[in-house]
Amino acid sequence: MNTTAVPTPQSNKPTSRYTILDREAVKLKSVLGRWETLLALLLIVVFTVNSIVLPHFLDLYNLLDGTQNFSEKALIALPMALLIICREIDISVAGTLALSSVAMGLAMQAGFPPATLVLVALAAGCACGLLNGVLVTRFGLPSIVVTIGTVSLFRGLASVVLGDKAFTGYPQLMADWGQGYFFGIVPREFVVLLAFAALFAFVLHATSWGRRIFAIGNNPDAARFSGIAVDRYRLALFVLTGAMAGLAAFFLTGRIGSTRPNIATGWELEVITMVILGGVSIAGGAGTIGGVLLAILTLGVATYGMSLANIPGIYMTIVVGILLLATIALPRLLRARRVSK
């Protein structure tokens, strides 16, 4: 029996060209849909508007000097991002900073060498973070409740020690780091911030330590069953956040030259706004250090522009509050809209 081969029909659609174009379109849509891309565009818009409206905005010296207004907060935002990715939060960072600054003042009065004051600040910050971490991991208390309590504790202790006085007369070494420049133009604080941002980005996105943080944030129970020491990581992140708050205290105290009871009041809101605006999910398990850094720069440029325009600081507080609400609510609204379709 003879059989004849039946030719398969040939497709009339061009294959290679349209396939490549479709792939490129999908990639472009993916890039444009990323939160970091939107933040970069927002930063460009804010920068462009300020440069058009404000005549002295583009002065390089003023721009770099403006980084001092957010560098200390940004140092705290970096570990806060890791903590929120891990489904925890630390409201007590401003109180930790205040108590660390008071600890440096007491150490200075006790005759500690100037070079050791940064170690005193780091030790005080670590102690505050350790207290938070132990209460959360060992006693199973919610971190938001614990840190709301400890911020009052830390701030209260600082106020009791200082009373109506202030620590002044800090050594020149602290002023050199808080007010000093590299190459006569770049603030030292900003360089330190960029170095820590690179370090935190490497740890979070390129190491097993970072992958475990994401795993804990996505599903703590599954991470625990897979052999990850969940509580140990959480405790370490609380201590790290406290240490960075202590480092921020060293820079801030050196920059303003004094320790007062109201130092860094309200900073916790601005730090958390930097993190959430940077795309870190308040529910945990998602976020990037790059996004947080873009949010820091965007808020910094906006604040700098408002200060040049002589707009009162209270309006910036309103803007921060609106941004915090919007960045929390907007993703949920968009998700609910997609589900309804």
Side-chain angles (χ1 to χ4, degrees), residues 233-252:
Y233 276 86
R234 286 174 170 167
L235 179 63
L237 290 178
F238 275 108
V239 174
L240 178 61
T241 304
M244 293 300 288
L247 181 62
F250 174 78
F251 283 114
L252 178 61

Side-chain angles (χ1 to χ4, degrees), residues 266-325:
W267 275 28
E268 57 276 347
L269 174 63
E270 296 183 51
V271 169
I272 293 171
T273 302
M274 289 175 175
V275 175
I276 303 303
L277 180 62
V280 175
S281 173
I282 194 66
T288 65
I289 295 298
V292 173
L293 189 59
L294 282 170
I296 289 167
L297 294 175
T298 301
L299 288 173
V301 170
T303 304
Y304 170 63
M306 293 177 72
S307 65
L308 281 182
N310 294 320
I311 296 175
I314 187 63
Y315 289 102
M316 190 60 205
T317 304
I318 295 173
V319 171
V320 168
I322 293 173
L323 285 174
L324 182 58
L325 290 173

Side-chain angles (χ1 to χ4, degrees), residues 14 18 29 37 46 58 96 98 100 116 121 143 165 184 207 243 253 288-289:
Y18 285 98
K29 185 177 180 180
T37 305
V46 173
L58 292 178
T96 300
S100 299
T116 63
S143 58
K165 301 178 182 178
T207 67
T253 306
T288 65
I289 295 298

Side-chain angles (χ1 to χ4, degrees), residues 119-321:
L119 301 178
V120 172
L122 290 172
C126 286
C128 294
L130 181 62
L131 175 61
N132 289 331
V134 168
L135 291 174
V136 171
T137 59
R138 298 293 175 86
F139 295 94
L141 301 175
S143 58
I144 189 169
V145 175
V146 168
T147 55
I148 286 174
T150 53
V151 68
S152 299
L153 172 64
F154 301 153
R155 181 74 68 178
L157 289 173
S159 298
V160 167
V161 172
L162 286 172
D164 56 353
K165 301 178 182 178
F167 289 131
T168 57
Y170 283 99
Q172 183 61 36
L173 176 66
M174 291 183 62
D176 290 341
W177 280 99
Q179 306 171 12
Y181 298 85
F182 285 118
F183 311 112
I185 185 172
V186 184
R188 291 188 177 186
E189 289 182 318
F190 188 57
V191 175
V192 172
L193 168 63
L194 294 179
F196 271 106
L199 176 62
F200 273 76
F202 174 77
V203 170
L204 182 62
H205 303 297
T207 67
S208 59
W209 211 78
R211 289 191 292 273
R212 289 170 184 170
I213 290 175
F214 280 115
I216 294 170
N218 282 308
N219 193 325
D221 294 330
R224 187 175 285 108
F225 282 120
S226 67
I228 298 175
V230 173
D231 288 341
R232 189 178 302 170
Y233 276 86
R234 286 174 170 167
L235 179 63
L237 290 178
F238 275 108
V239 174
L240 178 61
T241 304
M244 293 300 288
L247 181 62
F250 174 78
F251 283 114
L252 178 61
T253 306
R255 181 163 65 89
I256 64 178
S258 65
T259 299
R260 301 181 185 279
N262 63 345
I263 187 172
T265 299
W267 275 28
E268 57 276 347
L269 174 63
E270 296 183 51
V271 169
I272 293 171
T273 302
M274 289 175 175
V275 175
I276 303 303
L277 180 62
V280 175
S281 173
I282 194 66
T288 65
I289 295 298
V292 173
L293 189 59
L294 282 170
I296 289 167
L297 294 175
T298 301
L299 288 173
V301 170
T303 304
Y304 170 63
M306 293 177 72
S307 65
L308 281 182
N310 294 320
I311 296 175
I314 187 63
Y315 289 102
M316 190 60 205
T317 304
I318 295 173
V319 171
V320 168

